Amino acid sequence: MTWLQHLAGSLMARPAVYDAVQTVLGSKYCYGRLRRLLPETGGLRVLDVGAGTGLGSSVLSATARHVCLDIDLGKLTRLRTERPTAFAVRADAQALPLENGVCDIGLCVFLCHHLEDAVLVSALREVARVCRGPTLIMEPLWVPRRPVSSLLWRYDQGAFPRTREALVNMIETSFEIERAEEFSVFH
């Protein structure tokens, strides 16, 4: 790891910096696309696995019950400050502390590339277990032929970038894919 990669990782560990970088890299555009795909969430319990600081709250109805799960205590602390109505849970995605079918909708946004293959498969199985309705997965793809993509992946904290094919294969171990879209923000 280069000193620049180490510095980037240290800065991204700070929740406010993480949010700012996400915004600069196009998260608002991504969440706008996600909002158009979501069914109405009013009154529903929405599980957000890997919720981080809770940026996903922006796409939910004000009356949705947002259950934000993450392993990073710093990000969950910021979430509770910025979005006090969200229910923050510190837990591992492989062992969700929730009953079967207790959530109406699942979200996994920018999560998969942070999990190694076996962990991702277990996490997806858990999301399928606790969510009785649709689960929306939004994930950056690894496209090595694109120089900007390669550069961004060099500094991303997620150590497990995947091609579309690899990601789809993993998702299909727990879900039937009804719809898939690809779009580009910067790369």
Side-chain angles (χ1 to χ4, degrees):
M1 177 181 291
T2 69
W3 70 270
L4 193 54
Q5 289 169 314
H6 179 71
L7 177 62
S10 296
L11 288 173
M12 289 297 287
R14 298 176 183 198
V17 173
Y18 174 84
D19 282 353
V21 170
Q22 292 291 84
T23 299
V24 167
L25 292 178
S27 67
K28 285 186 180 182
Y29 176 76
C30 294
Y31 281 111
R33 289 186 67 104
L34 182 65
R35 177 68 203 119
R36 290 190 296 276
L37 296 171
L38 271 173
E40 173 54 44
T41 59
L44 299 181
R45 185 173 291 138
V46 180
L47 174 65
D48 190 350
V49 180
T53 59
L55 294 175
S57 296
S58 66
V59 301
L60 303 178
S61 165
T63 61
R65 293 174 287 165
H66 194 191
V67 180
C68 300
L69 183 132
D70 205 292
I71 200 136
D72 186 323
L73 183 58
K75 289 180 181 168
L76 288 175
T77 300
R78 179 170 171 93
L79 179 143
R80 297 196 86 183
T81 301
E82 299 290 320
R83 295 163 177 85
T85 60
F87 183 67
V89 180
R90 185 176 187 201
D92 187 325
Q94 294 182 94
L96 298 177
L98 301 167
E99 295 178 16
N100 294 350
V102 73
C103 293
D104 300 295
I105 296 173
L107 297 176
C108 295
V109 181
F110 311 140
L111 167 72
C112 301
H113 65 286
H114 292 280
L115 307 177
E116 63 183 60
D117 291 353
V119 173
L120 176 56
V121 169
S122 293
L124 292 171
R125 188 178 308 118
E126 278 291 276
V127 174
R129 178 183 66 78
V130 303
C131 293
R132 62 178 167 261
T135 294
L136 286 82
I137 300 170
M138 180 177 280
E139 181 67 12
L141 298 175
W142 183 46
V143 185
R145 71 180 184 277
R146 295 184 179 165
V148 174
S149 179
S150 294
L151 177 69
L152 289 174
W153 279 115
R154 181 179 302 156
Y155 296 102
D156 193 286
Q157 286 184 310
F160 307 99
R162 294 179 179 87
T163 63
R164 181 187 194 282
E165 180 182 12
L167 184 61
V168 164
N169 288 338
M170 290 183 168
I171 292 169
E172 288 180 331
T173 64
S174 297
F175 296 97
E176 180 180 323
I177 297 175
E178 293 180 16
R179 180 176 174 178
E181 291 185 12
E182 284 186 49
F183 62 94
S184 179
V185 178
F186 289 113
H187 50 79

